[in-house]
Amino acid sequence: MSPANEPLPSVTPLGSTLICENKTQFTVWAPDCQSVNVEIIDRHGDIENVRNRYPMQPDKKGFFSNTISECGAGTLYRFQLNNGMGRPDPRSKYQPYGVHGPSAVVDSTQFRWTDKNWVGIEKKNLVIYELHLGSLTSSGTYLEAIEQLDDLIELGITAIEFLPLAQCPGDWNWGYDGVNYFAPSNNFGTPNELKCLINACHHRGLAVINDVVYNHVGPEGNYLAEFAPYRSSKYNTPWGDALNFEHPEVRQFVLDNISYWIDEFHFDGLRLDAVHYMFDDRDDHILEEIRDSFRQVKTAKSRTTHLIGESNIYDAELLNPLDNGDPNYDAIWSDCLMHSIYKHGNPSIRLTDRHYQENDIAEAVEHAYVFSTPQAMRVTETARKKQNPSGDRGYIESLIIALQTHDSVGNHPHGKRLHQLTSPQYQRSAAGLSLLYPSIPMIFMGEEWSTDAPFPFFADFEDPRLRKSVDQGRRDEYPHHNWNGSPLPSDPTAFTSTKSQTNDLNPKTYRWYQKLLSMRKQMIQDGALTAKNLSTYSDLENSVFKLIYKT
């Protein structure tokens, strides 16, 4: 057993840090604990089989540390709090046995990147493909996904966006129940295999975006509050504990996570989930600190990167440049055009809590938002004009626009897609609006083929009470749907049914998408596809909508 270290300052890397081949430094922030021990777990992951236990030395700020010999990469460990139960490392880099199992020491220097010449993709050239790694291929792994990359390039994709990768409970999950923020999901492979996938993307000219969730922590495997005041005492969310952004160390936890995904894994961008649920009463809001931290990440400075916020409103504060001219967020999501297209094609469908009308599509085509829908916007049309007094629609070029997303498909009880709720012809017609709009287009996996593979909501929890609660809660959230015959989120078929299928593909849709993306690329090269050049025409009675670009 090695002697405990002297107290370490808070700038010391937290979690497990490999010092040399067989020596690891462990540091954890646990101010709510009287004592913390490092437990070294049997190599088979049996948390009941503790091989050794080492006390950690605290400092005055609540940081505990110890450097342990005979402890190299792959070592399984947990932190024992107050001589009680061992818990996973809040900064765990890998959870090979899931959210309740031990953490693993990772050698972050082992992987050899070969993407030094990669410079990224400019915002105007982004065509994003949103995908769930577990659903993309038969095995649902990082490595097997590499086999799909050439097909995406042939289609015209320039960036892929993963649904959240942070470790979630169970064997299948959309990813929004993450509890180990620094650990890529073990369901898809190892951290190095994720790096292999990203490295392969860069070699093919594809940018990679990670969906990150900082508005809440998942309900199972969330042990953060046992270490420190991570949980907000003032706010909560519909999905789990809100983070306590009033505490500087909790803020730093998120800021370090931002840097981690960009530096350690070479991601080209981050999409922040539901930023309107990131509650913070401080003057320097956490969204501002995230922006500033993102811009300072060393790896990001050598290539083009993108910071994207999912805001359910038109949020000019996220898009407008700072007073000194520095960029703010690069883009925000806008779902109004998508839901208006759904509503126009099938008036009986409602896949969001907002109430869209059949004629909203005209306003959505004109402005990319339905500003007149009070449920959708706290920003009125008058306020929008004040924020853009010249009537400039330049903000449109910083919006993520989609015809379908994981939410729009997954919010249907059977996970049905747009062409199934309308027709393949309607989908192809609507694709012209979304893919030739001057915003950043996003395609949801399988959309380009009008695939019949469903994508219902799925979530696997070990706690039976939680499983039952989620199964019932999903139906309560959308009571207007007919749930007869739909799979429960906890049913394995809800996940396995989403696997890519090869016998239900529509080549006509694929060729049309390919042609539209080729046209988009040429229009960008010609300088035509801009918000300034755009005018629109809507004939609601005959369902004719045009995007007109002056040259």
Side-chain angles (χ1 to χ4, degrees):
M1 169 179 170
S2 63
N5 285 346
E6 291 297 317
L8 297 172
S10 61
V11 295
T12 299
L14 297 179
S16 60
T17 304
L18 199 64
I19 303 300
C20 59
E21 184 177 359
N22 287 306
K23 183 180 289 187
T24 299
Q25 175 183 292
F26 296 93
T27 308
V28 64
W29 180 54
D32 293 344
C33 299
Q34 297 298 314
S35 67
V36 181
N37 298 320
V38 179
E39 293 182 336
I40 305 301
I41 307 299
D42 178 80
R43 63 187 179 88
H44 298 294
D46 181 3
I47 58 177
E48 303 297 328
N49 191 349
V50 178
R51 294 205 332 253
N52 291 297
R53 187 174 286 120
Y54 303 97
M56 303 179 75
Q57 177 85 11
D59 69 5
K60 294 181 180 180
K61 295 183 179 180
F63 292 87
F64 291 75
S65 62
N66 196 348
T67 299
I68 301 174
S69 300
E70 303 302 323
C71 183
T75 298
L76 301 178
Y77 70 97
R78 302 214 302 176
F79 291 130
Q80 183 190 37
L81 309 180
N82 298 325
N83 296 316
M85 290 290 295
R87 297 303 189 196
D89 183 353
R91 300 262 186 151
S92 170
K93 296 177 181 176
Y94 185 40
Q95 291 291 121
Y97 296 95
V99 298
H100 301 295
S103 305
V105 176
V106 173
D107 183 356
S108 297
T109 66
Q110 185 182 23
F111 186 81
R112 295 290 180 258
W113 291 95
T114 59
D115 64 348
K116 65 179 181 179
N117 295 323
W118 171 248
V119 296
I121 301 291
E122 291 186 45
K123 182 168 73 172
K124 68 178 181 179
N125 295 323
L126 286 175
V127 177
I128 301 172
Y129 193 85
E130 187 189 34
L131 61 90
H132 184 278
L133 265 166
S135 301
L136 182 67
T137 64
S138 58
S139 67
T141 65
Y142 299 123
L143 293 182
E144 192 173 15
I146 295 175
E147 301 173 9
Q148 305 295 316
L149 300 181
D150 291 337
D151 291 339
L152 296 180
I153 292 169
E154 184 178 355
L155 173 63
I157 300 299
T158 64
I160 59 176
E161 180 179 309
F162 302 135
L163 267 65
L165 297 182
Q167 185 69 52
C168 288
D171 294 328
W172 58 88
N173 197 294
W174 269 16
Y176 296 92
D177 295 308
V179 293
N180 302 111
Y181 277 31
F182 292 79
S185 176
N186 71 318
N187 289 327
F188 310 139
T190 68
N192 275 352
E193 289 170 344
L194 171 57
K195 292 178 181 179
C196 283
L197 171 55
I198 297 173
N199 200 48
C201 287
H202 289 169
H203 273 276
R204 289 165 171 80
L206 286 170
V208 191
I209 300 169
N210 190 18
D211 194 342
V212 290
V213 183
Y214 300 131
N215 51 62
H216 77 284
V217 186
E220 182 173 10
N222 174 14
Y223 300 112
L224 292 176
E226 297 183 28
F227 288 85
Y230 284 95
R231 178 194 297 144
S232 173
S233 60
K234 187 181 300 185
Y235 298 107
N236 209 336
T237 77
W239 317 291
D241 293 340
L243 286 170
N244 176 22
F245 288 124
E246 294 186 4
H247 200 293
E249 289 298 340
V250 177
R251 297 170 82 89
Q252 194 61 49
F253 177 78
V254 168
L255 298 180
D256 288 349
N257 191 251
I258 292 282
S259 302
Y260 177 74
W261 288 118
I262 303 297
D263 266 341
E264 180 72 19
F265 290 93
H266 292 202
F267 275 101
D268 301 288
L270 299 176
R271 179 262 195 191
L272 275 61
D273 178 65
V275 295
H276 47 289
Y277 271 97
M278 293 176 64
F279 303 114
D280 185 7
D281 294 332
R282 290 175 39 154
D283 291 337
D284 50 340
H285 195 281
I286 185 62
L287 288 174
E288 298 175 12
E289 283 204 61
I290 286 175
R291 174 201 63 215
D292 295 342
S293 180
F294 181 85
R295 302 299 178 198
Q296 295 303 314
V297 177
K298 182 177 64 175
T299 305
K301 291 181 179 180
S302 64
R303 65 181 190 272
T304 300
T305 53
H306 308 279
L307 184 61
I308 302 167
E310 187 209 7
S311 173
N312 71 339
I313 61 168
Y314 170 62
D315 193 337
E317 291 184 4
L318 286 182
L319 293 182
N320 290 341
L322 305 182
D323 292 339
N324 63 3
D326 287 347
N328 207 327
Y329 279 60
D330 297 288
I332 61 175
W333 272 36
S334 173
D335 289 343
C336 284
L337 181 59
M338 176 181 71
H339 286 301
S340 298
I341 288 172
Y342 266 93
K343 194 68 175 180
H344 189 78
N346 187 335
S348 67
I349 291 297
R350 180 161 66 88
L351 301 172
T352 178
D353 56 358
R354 306 172 195 167
H355 293 271
Y356 289 91
Q357 307 299 321
E358 291 178 57
N359 61 355
D360 283 338
I361 187 172
E363 185 177 354
V365 169
E366 176 72 15
H367 298 294
Y369 278 107
V370 181
F371 290 100
S372 59
T373 304
Q375 297 96 329
M377 304 294 152
R378 67 166 177 251
V379 181
T380 65
E381 175 70 4
T382 301
R384 183 189 67 78
K385 289 179 178 178
K386 287 182 179 179
Q387 291 163 338
N388 294 279
S390 66
D392 177 24
R393 292 186 298 172
Y395 66 89
I396 289 178
E397 296 176 16
S398 295
L399 304 179
I400 307 291
I401 294 289
L403 191 58
Q404 299 173 79
T405 67
H406 68 277
D407 276 328
S408 71
V409 180
N411 285 351
H412 188 275
H414 296 274
K416 287 191 175 181
R417 297 168 181 265
L418 177 62
H419 74 279
Q420 296 170 309
L421 300 175
T422 55
S423 69
Q425 294 83 358
Y426 184 84
Q427 180 200 333
R428 289 193 289 270
S429 297
L433 292 179
S434 64
L435 297 183
L436 296 182
Y437 207 68
S439 299
I440 302 166
M442 187 173 73
I443 297 170
F444 181 60
M445 58 183 297
E447 174 188 328
E448 73 277 19
W449 289 103
S450 292
T451 179
D452 287 334
F455 193 82
F457 179 71
F458 49 82
D460 181 29
F461 294 100
E462 295 183 31
D463 184 338
R465 291 175 299 178
L466 190 54
R467 292 168 70 94
K468 183 177 180 180
S469 175
V470 171
D471 286 344
Q472 184 58 47
R474 192 63 177 174
R475 284 160 165 72
D476 294 342
E477 188 177 3
Y478 297 98
H480 55 279
H481 286 323
N482 180 0
W483 291 90
N484 292 335
S486 64
L488 297 173
S490 62
D491 187 334
T493 61
F495 169 57
T496 57
S497 66
T498 68
K499 296 288 187 176
S500 297
Q501 299 178 16
T502 57
N503 59 350
D504 63 348
L505 306 182
N506 189 322
K508 187 174 182 179
T509 299
Y510 179 87
R511 290 192 297 269
W512 179 235
Y513 269 63
Q514 195 176 42
K515 182 176 182 178
L516 288 174
L517 292 179
S518 178
M519 291 173 57
R520 178 183 180 86
K521 183 178 180 180
Q522 186 62 54
M523 291 173 68
I524 291 173
Q525 291 175 351
D526 295 341
L529 200 143
T530 67
K532 184 178 180 180
N533 290 338
L534 174 67
S535 61
T536 65
Y537 170 84
S538 297
D539 180 349
L540 288 166
E541 184 176 349
N542 295 298
S543 295
V544 176
F545 306 95
K546 296 180 182 181
L547 305 177
I548 305 165
Y549 290 94
K550 62 182 179 181
T551 57

